[in-house]
Amino acid sequence: MLRFVTKKALGLASAEAPIRPIQILPRLYHERVVEHYNNPRNVGSFDKNDPSVGTGLVGAPACGDVMKLQIKVDEETGKIVDARFKTFGCGSAIASSSVATEWVKGKQMEEVLSIKNTEIAKHLSLPPVKLHCSMLAEDAIKAAVKDYEAKRAKVNGNWDASVRAADA
Amino acid sequence: MWRRKLLSLLSNDLLRRFRPASISGLPLRFYSKLHSSPLCIRDETSRPCGGARCDFLESLQFISSRSYSSHPVENSATRCWNCDYLARSSPFLVCETCRSVQPVDDSVDYFNIFGLEKNYEIDGNNLEGKYKDWQKKLHPDLVHTKSEREKDYAAEQSARVIDAYRTLGDMLARAIYVLKLEGVNIDEEETVSEPELLTEILEIREAVEEAADAQALKQIQSQMEDKLRHWSKSFADAIRCRKLGDAVISVRRMKYYARVKEEIFKRL
């Protein structure tokens, strides 16, 4: 990993943008994983109580990882306008959730449910031993969508009840 | 060659003479293992937990080999490969007569190696002392002049003892090992969604990230240790009452707290 980081630093210093060949070296993190680890996109939180926010909180007990993925949904169109994540875990887990937040942005909620962990894993060239990290990211997306829909159902339920109360 | 046969016949004869004392000694130890160990509350006829069952079978073989001493049961696990001495005690890691290191026997579990009951709660036992005693007999450095075969055995055997020592010495590793002996493996792939636990862990991890100084970290560390102890106790209770589901839950929580401790350790 150190090799990749220093390579990257040198690459930047030389002010070029070389197309680095993807080196599949055993037991080193893939370039993309390092990139996501060093420059994670969309780290942060939304307000959990915001009705347009869905929060997915998942964990992998076997390695003690914890992943929180939040989506901000446009209520009218059902499109995900923004996403944030916070992950405590290995580099692969962080990268997987970072990728997940990138991929869900601008998509419909139903669309993101079809994001598969295998796609994330392929994108990051995760080794077999780290596949469960991408699975965690997939579960986090699903949990976030589920949470949002549950919130909406509750809000609609309340709204219906209040309308009926007003009519009565 | 004939001398060896004579020796083995003689030793069988001697063993036969000492049979009453040792036979009564053997089942007594065996029964005490069965009855006091919380993992074997069921009766012997049903399938007890892995380790005890293997001891049971081993003891049976041992007894039968004595009863029919004219045709002893040649079980490589209970006879020294070097001098053919019949193993008296378990675990048979080193032969008592010729002091050769024996091959690893997987039926001998970690508790066995340290002469402990298959009980999760082992506090107060002199693990380190026993560990050093074993290494004095098994360490690869001691077999420099011996055969390749024995060098290999020494390497494997001492590695296993180190493993056993590390596993039994750590609360969480011991818990996972105990579950493994019960046939329950904590699945690597599984993801969970327990909001309470995860929120708690998230908050703790955030606190670790934002901790101002070593003291704050140490404070969190001691909190984690308290929690580990608490869940370790809850694990012990669950195992005692055979509630494997609860035991798994306890182990999961312990894993999270242990992970936090690791992170703190890295930062300190």
Side-chain angles (χ1 to χ4, degrees), chain A residues 78-101:
Chain A
K79 204 161 92 161
I80 297 174
V81 294
D82 205 2
R84 289 278 182 277
F85 83 96
K86 242 191 188 177
T87 298
F88 289 101
C90 63
S92 305
I94 294 172
S96 299
S97 39
S98 179
V99 162
T101 52

Side-chain angles (χ1 to χ4, degrees), chain B:
Chain B
M1 175 70 180
W2 63 268
R3 225 178 273 231
R4 222 187 202 194
K5 244 188 169 170
L6 183 64
L7 194 66
S8 69
L9 276 173
L10 272 176
S11 61
N12 279 332
D13 204 18
L14 281 168
L15 289 171
R16 232 182 303 158
R17 281 207 204 126
F18 289 118
R19 208 213 293 180
S22 29
I23 288 273
S24 61
L26 188 64
L28 189 67
R29 183 175 57 86
F30 159 68
Y31 274 122
S32 69
K33 249 191 179 174
L34 267 192
H35 288 295
S36 56
S37 159
L39 296 178
C40 308
I41 292 174
R42 308 179 204 170
D43 60 273
E44 305 96 82
T45 51
S46 72
R47 187 192 157 85
C49 51
R53 174 175 161 268
C54 293
D55 280 347
F56 179 62
L57 284 178
E58 223 176 277
S59 326
L60 271 185
Q61 263 171 341
F62 188 23
I63 294 168
S64 66
S65 74
R66 285 186 173 169
S67 326
Y68 304 102
S69 49
S70 51
H71 301 284
V73 175
E74 287 281 320
N75 189 346
S76 57
T78 53
R79 274 194 176 279
C80 174
W81 58 273
N82 198 18
C83 68
D84 222 27
Y85 172 76
L86 189 66
R88 280 180 195 251
S89 59
S90 168
F92 189 52
L93 305 185
V94 173
C95 177
E96 283 124 29
T97 42
C98 66
R99 293 207 228 142
S100 337
V101 182
Q102 302 300 309
V104 166
D105 179 7
D106 283 320
S107 67
V108 175
D109 62 56
Y110 291 171
F111 289 99
N112 221 324
I113 292 177
F114 284 89
L116 296 168
E117 310 258 320
K118 243 178 292 296
N119 197 343
Y120 174 65
E121 284 155 319
I122 62 163
D123 302 301
N125 272 293
N126 188 12
L127 266 181
E128 196 179 346
K130 287 178 195 164
Y131 167 66
K132 287 189 177 158
D133 282 340
W134 274 125
Q135 293 294 24
K136 280 180 200 157
K137 296 176 189 157
L138 293 175
H139 201 274
D141 285 349
L142 301 164
V143 295
H144 263 312
T145 52
K146 307 243 178 122
S147 60
E148 275 303 313
R149 185 176 173 186
E150 192 165 351
K151 281 188 200 165
D152 285 340
Y153 289 160
E156 286 169 8
Q157 203 64 272
S158 77
R160 191 133 200 277
V161 169
I162 293 173
D163 241 347
Y165 176 59
R166 293 221 181 110
T167 306
L168 296 183
D170 173 49
M171 283 199 270
L172 177 58
R174 203 187 324 139
I176 296 177
Y177 184 68
V178 163
L179 275 180
K180 189 173 132 190
L181 287 179
E182 292 281 333
V184 177
N185 279 314
I186 310 272
D187 190 4
E188 264 280 318
E189 308 275 311
E190 206 187 345
T191 59
V192 292
S193 188
E194 287 167 59
E196 272 177 42
L197 167 65
L198 292 176
T199 317
E200 184 197 338
I201 298 292
L202 204 62
E203 282 168 11
I204 297 174
R205 293 292 293 263
E206 278 171 1
V208 167
E209 292 257 320
E210 289 157 16
D213 52 20
Q215 191 171 11
L217 282 175
K218 288 211 168 105
Q219 204 179 7
I220 304 178
Q221 192 177 44
S222 70
Q223 278 176 356
M224 292 297 102
E225 271 161 18
D226 285 337
K227 296 233 174 194
L228 267 173
R229 267 192 288 271
H230 170 254
W231 285 100
S232 163
K233 192 169 169 299
S234 136
F235 176 82
D237 292 336
I239 281 287
R240 207 178 303 129
C241 309
R242 308 286 300 161
K243 287 184 186 158
L244 293 181
D246 288 348
V248 169
I249 291 174
S250 301
V251 162
R252 284 205 186 129
R253 294 199 85 133
M254 280 169 70
K255 179 77 202 186
Y256 275 112
Y257 297 128
R259 188 70 205 279
V260 178
K261 266 185 79 178
E262 269 172 40
E263 285 295 314
I264 295 178
F265 185 73
K266 280 189 207 164
R267 281 168 185 273
L268 277 174

